[in-house]
Amino acid sequence: MHQKYSFKAIEEKWQNTWESQGSYKVSEVSGKPKFYCLEMFPYPSGKLHMGHVRNYSIGDVLARFYRMKGYQVLHPMGWDAFGLPAENAALKNNIPPAKWTWDNIANMRSQLKRMGISYDWDREVASCHPSYYKWTQWLFLQFFKKGLAYRKEANVNWCPSCQTVLANEQVVGAGVCERCSTRVEKKNLEQWFFKITDYADRLLDNLPKLTGWPERVKVMQENWIGRSEGARVVFRSEEGAELPVFTTRPDTIFGVTYMVIAPEHPLVEKLIAGKPEAEAVRSFVRKVMDQDEIARTAADTEKEGVFTGAYAINPLNGEKVPIWVANYVLLGYGTGIVMGVPAHDQRDFEFARKYGLPVRVVISPEDVELKGEELTEAFAAEGYLVNSGEFTGMPSQEAIGAVIRKVEELGIGQAQVNYRLRDWLISRQRYWGAPIPIVYCEHCGIVPVPVDQLPVLLPEDVRFKPTGQSPLAELADFVATTCPTCGGPARRETDTMDTFVCSSWYFLRYTDPLNEQMPFSREKADYWMPVDQYIGGIEHAILHLMYARFFTMVCYDLGLVGFEEPFTNLLTQGMVTKDGFKMSKSKGNVVDPNYIIDAYGADTARLFILFAAPPEKDLEWSDQGVEGCYRFLNRVWRLAVEIYEKYLPVWQDAATGALSPAGLELHRKTHSTIKRVSEDIQERFNFNTAISALMELVNTIAKYIAEDQERSEPWVVREALQSLLLCLAPFAPHITEEIWSAFGFDGSVHEQNWPEFDPAALVLDEVEIVVQINGKVRDRLLVRKGISEAELEEKVKALPKVSEALNGKTIRKLIVVPEKLVNVVIG
RNA sequence: GCCGAAGUGGCGGAAUUGGCAGACGCGCUGGACUCAAAAUCCAGUGAGGCUCAAACCUCGUGUGGGUUCGACCCCCACCUUCGGCACCA
C-alpha cells in the first residue's frame, strides 16, 4: 500500500472500473426484494451546487446500503431539462436553448460521475428529448380523452417578467412568481387546464396513508387542498334572480341580515339594472377591479362595499335583506356570493359595523344571552340556536344537518364540499417546453393530434423575443397544418406545457426508459414502483409532490399502473447555507463542489456533507469541517497502512482462544458500531451519528494496535478493519474500495453483504450502575451482570457516599433500574 | 391571525425517546516530534466555587410554572427564530 492517501488517483481509478464493469446497472429479478431509491432530478443549470451534492450523497448512501443488504436497487438519474433559463440564456448569449441545455447536461453528468454516485446511467432520461416528451404528449392526450385536460377562459396569473401564465401553485409568498420573484398580475385568458380538482378528495384522503412522509409536507398539502364542508343554498332576489351561496354554517341562516356579491360577478349588472344606485355601484366595481389582486386579497385590507339597491329573500324565514357588493368577496371561491351573518362571522361583523347593518344573534352559548348591539366581535363558536324558527333550541352541530335537510326538502340547496384547490393551469407562452399536441380546425374545433403522429416536434430554428405569445406562433411552418379529422387547413397549438407536467411522471419512465411503444410497461412499473425512498427539497412540498401524486392516480385510473401513490417514503433535506444564508450568487457565498472535489476528493465532500447535520436540517457549510473529514479519511488510510504492514503477515480468519481485555473491547466496539451504523442508516437517516460511530471505531482500533505488542489475536483487528470498510463504504465508496482491494479481500467492497452484528459480542460481564441520591449522580458501581436486585441494593447501601448522605436520616425509597441505575431517596 | 417545526458549550451537533447532558467533529490551550514550519501524535477544554493538587460542591439544555424518586425529553403558560396558509364564506 502507498503511504499516502492519493484521493485523486484512487477516485478516478475506481470510477473508471465501476463504469467499465457496469457495476450499477440493474434489472428486474423475481424473488429478490427491490428498493427504488430516487433523488429529485435536477434542472440542468450548468453546474452542480451543494444542494445537489447533499441530495445525491444522501441517496447514494441508501442505494449502496440496500444493495449490500441484498436488494435489487433502482437508482437512476436524469434531467428536468425544459424551462425558462435555457431561453433566457439563448437570448443573452445567442445560443440555441437545445445546445445550451445539452452542453449543461454533459457538464453536470461528468460532475456527478466525479462524485462517485452509483447510478444506472443506462436509464438516464432528459425531459427535453423527443423520446421523452413524446410520452408527455401521449399522457396529455390520455388526460384529454378522459376530460381531464380542457381549455377555458379564466382570470389567470401572469408573470410579466417570464412573459407567461403561471399555475396557482407557482405564485408564492406575497403574490410573486415562484421562479423570478416578480409580482404576478391577473389576466383574463383562454388556457389549458388539468382537472386536478376532480382528484381533490383522493389527494386529501390518501394523505394519512403516507406514513413515510414528513408531517409538515402532509399538512401543507392539506392546507393547499383546503377542503371545507357546508351547504349550497339558493337565495333569490326580489326580481327572482337566483343567488346561490356556499356556507359552512347553514345553522346561522336565520342570522342573515344582508347579502354580498363579488364585484366582478356577472349578476351584478342584472341586479342594478334600472336602480338609482347603478352608477355608484359601477364606479365602485371599477375601483376594486383597478386594485392590485394581491392588495385586494390581503387579510388586512379594509373591507369596503356599496348597496346595490336590490334585495334578496331569505328562503327560510322570508325576510327581505339588502344585497351589497364588497371587495372581500372573491369570485373564484364558492359561488362568489355570500350570505352576511355578522353575529357569527368576523368578516361579516366588521363589514356590518362599518356600514350600520343589523347584527342578529342566532347562536348562543349555553348560559349567556348575547345581544347583537353589544357584541364587540363575532361569536363564531358552536352553541344553541335562538331566534331560528323551528330550529330554535337545537345545538348548532345538529342544526347544520337539520337546515341542510330542510333546504333539500324545499329544493333550494344541498350539502356541498368546497375546495381551495384550483385546476392546474398547464399552458405556457414559451418555447422551451413540450408542445401541447392539439390542432385547431375551423370545422372540427379542438382536435387532439393522433397518437401515431407523436411527437409533435419542437422546431429548433426559432427566434426569441418574449412577447407574451409563444415564439412558436411566429413559425408559419409549425403553425400551419392539416386537421387530422377532416384534412382541412388547421393551426397548431403554440403554447407549451408547464415543466411540472414533464416532472410528474419521470419516476415511471425510469422503470422502462427505452420503451418505444408506451411511456412504460405496466409490468416494469409495477415491479419497481412505488419509489421506496424519495429525497429532495422541501420547496416541492406542494408543487411537484402533489402534481406527481395526481398523475399517478390518473395513471392508476387509466390502468397504466397498479398503485395510486408514487412515493412511499419521503425525505425532505434541509438547505445548505453559508454564513447563515442560502448559498446564492447574489450573496456571493457559493462554494463550488468542483473546487472541493479537486482539493479534498469526492469521498471527503460526501462525508462532510453527511456528517455536518442530519439530512432534514439546514446545513451550515464549514471549510474547517471539511478539513476535519479529510483528516479522518487520512487517519483511516494510515491505519490501514499500519495494519497492512504489521498484521497482514499474521492474518487469521477465526478466533483462537480467549481474547485479552483490549481485544474483547475492540471486538465489542466493532459489533456495537455495526449495530449503530445499521440502525442509523435504515431507521433514522442519521448519517451524522453513523459517521461519528465510525470515527469512534477508528479511534478504538488505533488505540488497540498502538498497544498490541504480541499480535497474538490478529483476527480481532481483521474483523474490525473489514467491518469498518464495509460500514464506511456507502459514505466513502472510493477509499474503502481501494483499501479493500489492497488487502486482497474478495471482490468489490460494494458487493459484499452488509455485516451483521453479533449480539453475544455486546454482552458485558460487568455493568456500571449509576448511583443517585435524591436524583443526583453521586457515585458509580461496577457489578457483575445479572446481579439480584437485593444484592445490588445491599451494595448500594454499603457505599460510603450513601451512608455519609444518610447521616441519621432514613431511606424513603429505592428506585432500581436494572443494569443502569439506582436512586436512593433520602428524607 | 391560524397551522407547523425548532431553540443544548466558542461553533456544527449527540443524548437510540423519562435514567450519567455535551458523544463525534471543529476551534482553542498546553505538550511531543522538528533547526523551524506544516503534517502527525498525546493531554486538556460548559460556567462558577473550593483546593498546592486531587477529591468535592453549586449552577447549567429559550423563560416561568407543574408532574415525577428522577425532566433537554411529558403537561401548562410565555418569549424568540424559521417555514406554510391567510378576507376561502
Side-chain angles (χ1 to χ4, degrees):
Chain A
M1 272 184 85
H2 288 287
Q3 293 295 316
K4 198 169 166 285
Y5 167 45
S6 312
F7 61 85
K8 206 177 168 70
I10 293 170
E11 293 184 356
E12 273 173 23
K13 170 182 156 190
W14 289 109
Q15 283 162 17
N16 291 335
T17 306
W18 296 332
E19 180 149 5
S20 65
Q21 293 181 348
S23 304
Y24 304 116
K25 300 198 185 317
V26 70
S27 55
E28 301 78 25
V29 174
S30 62
K32 220 174 142 188
K34 66 90 186 178
F35 189 86
Y36 188 172
C37 179
L38 182 66
E39 299 114 48
M40 291 180 182
F41 69 165
Y43 178 79
S45 57
K47 266 189 187 178
L48 285 190
H49 56 67
M50 282 301 169
H52 294 128
V53 173
R54 190 175 195 193
N55 195 177
Y56 310 142
S57 297
I58 293 167
D60 203 38
V61 170
L62 294 171
R64 289 180 184 276
F65 173 78
Y66 279 99
R67 232 175 257 125
M68 291 172 81
K69 277 276 194 182
Y71 290 76
Q72 280 301 97
V73 173
L74 175 57
H75 191 213
M77 181 40 69
W79 312 98
D80 187 10
F82 273 136
L84 269 181
E87 281 182 65
N88 295 339
L91 277 166
K92 205 168 147 194
N93 310 319
N94 214 20
I95 312 167
K99 180 177 164 32
W100 185 85
T101 304
W102 289 110
D103 286 353
N104 285 349
I105 287 175
N107 191 26
M108 287 174 78
R109 187 193 297 116
S110 79
Q111 274 190 294
L112 279 176
K113 289 189 174 176
R114 286 190 70 200
M115 291 280 308
I117 315 270
S118 61
Y119 293 127
D120 178 353
W121 283 104
D122 286 359
R123 292 173 182 267
E124 180 179 359
V125 303
S127 63
C128 67
H129 197 279
S131 67
Y132 183 91
Y133 71 70
K134 171 182 178 175
W135 299 111
T136 306
Q137 292 173 339
W138 186 89
L139 285 162
F140 175 92
L141 294 175
Q142 307 308 307
F143 278 53
F144 182 78
K145 266 189 229 160
K146 280 206 79 169
L148 293 170
Y150 69 98
R151 216 173 140 74
K152 76 165 178 196
E153 191 182 299
N155 198 21
V156 298
N157 306 298
W158 172 266
C159 174
S161 162
C162 296
Q163 290 277 305
T164 183
V165 297
L166 299 172
N168 283 346
E169 289 80 8
Q170 286 156 359
V171 180
V172 298
V176 301
C177 172
E178 174 247 352
R179 275 210 50 76
C180 67
S181 298
T182 305
R183 190 155 262 245
V184 168
E185 297 167 1
K186 285 281 179 174
K187 276 196 177 184
N188 237 1
L189 291 170
E190 190 165 302
Q191 297 289 322
W192 283 96
F193 290 85
F194 279 163
K195 215 166 184 182
I196 194 170
T197 50
D198 273 10
Y199 285 75
D201 260 328
R202 269 160 85 185
L203 288 167
L204 186 69
D205 292 346
N206 276 3
L207 284 175
K209 295 183 209 157
L210 300 176
T211 51
W213 280 42
E215 205 52 41
R216 61 173 179 149
V217 173
K218 292 192 277 185
V219 168
M220 280 161 77
Q221 293 209 355
E222 197 181 321
N223 287 343
W224 189 262
I225 295 166
R227 180 189 155 101
S228 63
E229 282 181 33
R232 180 187 155 95
V233 181
V234 180
F235 285 60
R236 275 176 194 280
S237 73
E238 271 189 314
E239 289 85 1
E242 288 197 356
L243 303 169
V245 302
F246 172 74
T247 175
T248 53
R249 293 295 300 272
D251 55 321
T252 64
I253 197 161
F254 285 78
V256 174
T257 56
Y258 66 101
M259 302 282 286
V260 201
I261 183 163
E264 60 272 64
H265 201 289
L267 264 176
V268 171
E269 270 304 319
K270 207 169 163 185
L271 290 172
I272 60 177
K275 301 259 166 31
E277 290 85 353
E279 250 335 290
V281 171
R282 285 193 194 100
S283 99
F284 174 77
V285 168
R286 271 195 302 277
K287 187 181 133 198
V288 175
M289 304 282 273
D290 279 349
Q291 215 177 11
D292 190 330
E293 171 83 8
I294 310 310
R296 184 187 148 193
T297 53
D300 48 13
T301 301
E302 176 80 17
K303 290 168 188 45
E304 289 181 350
V306 289
F307 175 48
T308 59
Y311 290 87
I313 306 300
N314 186 332
L316 261 68
N317 61 9
E319 216 169 83
K320 186 172 130 178
V321 294
I323 304 172
W324 285 62
V325 173
N327 61 349
Y328 77 97
V329 173
L330 309 173
L331 183 63
Y333 186 81
T335 61
I337 307 174
V338 170
M339 61 183 212
V341 187
H344 307 292
D345 180 286
Q346 187 57 25
R347 292 155 303 180
D348 296 345
F349 180 81
E350 287 166 25
F351 190 76
R353 277 284 186 264
K354 176 165 178 178
Y355 292 103
L357 293 157
V359 177
R360 184 193 303 152
V361 174
V362 291
I363 307 286
S364 176
E366 206 158 348
D367 38 18
V368 191
E369 200 193 329
L370 299 178
K371 288 214 170 71
E373 317 80 68
E374 290 166 10
L375 286 180
T376 54
E377 58 177 6
F379 176 72
E382 287 177 13
Y384 293 85
L385 271 68
V386 294
N387 302 321
S388 296
E390 61 188 284
F391 305 99
T392 299
M394 270 190 199
S396 37
Q397 261 312 320
E398 197 182 306
I400 288 174
V403 171
I404 289 173
R405 277 191 300 279
K406 180 76 180 178
V407 296
E408 276 172 355
E409 251 170 58
L410 295 170
I412 52 160
Q414 65 280 312
Q416 196 178 55
V417 177
N418 242 303
Y419 299 93
R420 214 186 72 98
L421 182 71
R422 289 289 108 83
D423 277 343
W424 174 13
L425 168 52
I426 59 137
S427 40
R428 295 290 178 274
Q429 291 70 48
R430 299 298 306 217
Y431 160 71
W432 192 235
I436 295 174
I438 288 288
V439 160
Y440 299 99
C441 168
E442 284 170 31
H443 294 107
C444 314
I446 297 176
V447 183
V449 173
V451 165
D452 59 15
Q453 289 176 26
L454 295 183
V456 175
L457 280 172
L458 194 60
E460 299 209 352
D461 51 340
V462 177
R463 293 186 163 268
F464 293 98
K465 277 179 276 141
T467 57
Q469 262 219 337
S470 168
L472 292 176
E474 292 174 36
L475 290 184
D477 285 357
F478 177 81
V479 177
T481 186
T482 51
C483 171
T485 308
C486 71
R491 125 190 107 75
R492 279 193 194 282
E493 169 65 65
T494 55
D495 282 358
T496 54
M497 284 186 246
D498 180 5
T499 55
F500 280 100
V501 176
C502 306
S503 58
S504 290
W505 71 282
Y506 77 104
F507 43 90
L508 294 164
R509 183 67 180 175
Y510 280 143
T511 65
D512 192 9
L514 302 177
N515 197 326
E516 292 183 3
Q517 313 308 316
M518 287 287 282
F520 46 85
S521 78
R522 168 144 185 185
E523 196 188 354
K524 290 190 174 178
D526 282 355
Y527 175 87
W528 289 113
M529 289 289 291
V531 172
D532 295 277
Q533 185 63 57
Y534 199 27
I535 307 151
I538 185 72
E539 66 274 17
H540 291 111
I542 295 169
L543 286 156
H544 164 62
L545 288 168
M546 202 171 59
Y547 295 150
R549 292 181 61 218
F550 165 56
F551 253 68
T552 306
M553 283 177 193
V554 176
C555 286
Y556 175 83
D557 291 350
L558 289 166
L560 295 171
V561 299
F563 46 88
E564 283 200 335
E565 287 291 340
F567 314 124
T568 306
N569 294 292
L570 174 69
L571 179 69
T572 50
Q573 67 181 59
M575 272 190 313
V576 182
T577 62
K578 177 122 196 285
D579 313 317
F581 298 101
K582 186 187 169 115
M583 286 187 184
S584 74
K585 270 185 227 152
S586 56
K587 281 252 161 41
N589 61 349
V590 176
V591 180
D592 182 3
N594 267 344
Y595 168 76
I596 300 297
I597 294 172
D598 286 341
Y600 302 99
D603 281 344
T604 295
R606 296 168 53 132
L607 200 68
F608 167 71
I609 215 152
L610 294 165
F611 178 62
E616 303 234 299
K617 277 195 158 187
D618 285 353
L619 181 156
E620 170 69 15
W621 184 267
S622 151
D623 291 334
Q624 284 164 335
V626 178
E627 291 271 359
C629 287
Y630 183 61
R631 277 208 283 269
F632 169 68
L633 289 182
N634 273 288
R635 204 147 57 229
V636 170
W637 184 264
R638 280 195 310 274
L639 187 74
V641 170
E642 199 178 343
I643 293 172
Y644 188 88
E645 287 167 355
K646 291 185 180 164
Y647 288 84
L648 201 54
V650 294
W651 269 147
Q652 289 163 270
D653 277 328
T656 48
L659 282 168
S660 65
L664 203 61
E665 195 196 319
L666 178 57
H667 180 59
R668 180 160 49 238
K669 189 71 181 177
T670 299
H671 285 270
S672 66
T673 304
I674 295 170
K675 181 170 191 280
R676 178 88 202 243
V677 173
S678 308
E679 288 171 357
D680 281 352
I681 295 177
Q682 192 161 13
E683 289 160 29
R684 313 198 312 153
F685 300 122
N686 280 8
F687 307 122
N688 54 335
T689 51
I691 293 166
S692 76
L694 290 167
M695 288 172 167
E696 286 184 49
L697 178 59
V698 167
N699 293 344
T700 307
I701 300 173
K703 196 170 149 225
Y704 177 87
I705 63 175
E707 287 164 7
D708 178 33
Q709 300 305 319
E710 287 100 62
R711 296 201 261 287
S712 57
E713 42 192 23
W715 71 270
V716 195
V717 175
R718 180 185 170 115
E719 178 192 61
L721 177 71
Q722 287 189 330
S723 305
L724 170 69
L725 294 174
L726 292 168
C727 290
L728 185 58
F731 302 94
H734 308 90
I735 188 176
T736 47
E737 185 81 309
E738 176 67 19
I739 297 173
W740 188 265
S741 129
F743 273 79
F745 297 143
D746 279 348
S748 161
V749 71
H750 303 293
E751 286 163 17
Q752 306 305 306
N753 289 331
W754 185 257
E756 296 288 335
F757 73 92
D758 176 7
L762 302 181
V763 176
L764 294 155
D765 298 338
E766 286 192 312
V767 285
E768 196 184 62
I769 304 287
V770 170
V771 180
Q772 295 185 334
I773 294 170
N774 289 339
K776 289 187 178 177
V777 181
R778 282 297 176 267
D779 208 350
R780 279 138 224 274
L781 192 59
L782 214 54
V783 299
R784 58 164 215 289
K785 208 180 154 68
I787 191 172
S788 76
E789 227 169 89
E791 195 185 339
L792 179 60
E793 284 180 21
E794 284 316 306
K795 278 184 183 264
V796 168
K797 284 179 193 161
L799 287 170
K801 286 269 168 82
V802 174
S803 36
E804 215 175 280
L806 210 50
N807 191 25
K809 293 176 218 152
T810 54
I811 295 179
R812 281 250 199 99
K813 213 173 182 182
L814 211 62
I815 313 271
V816 180
V817 183
E819 289 177 25
K820 260 191 184 159
L821 171 142
V822 177
N823 188 9
V824 188
V825 185
I826 294 174

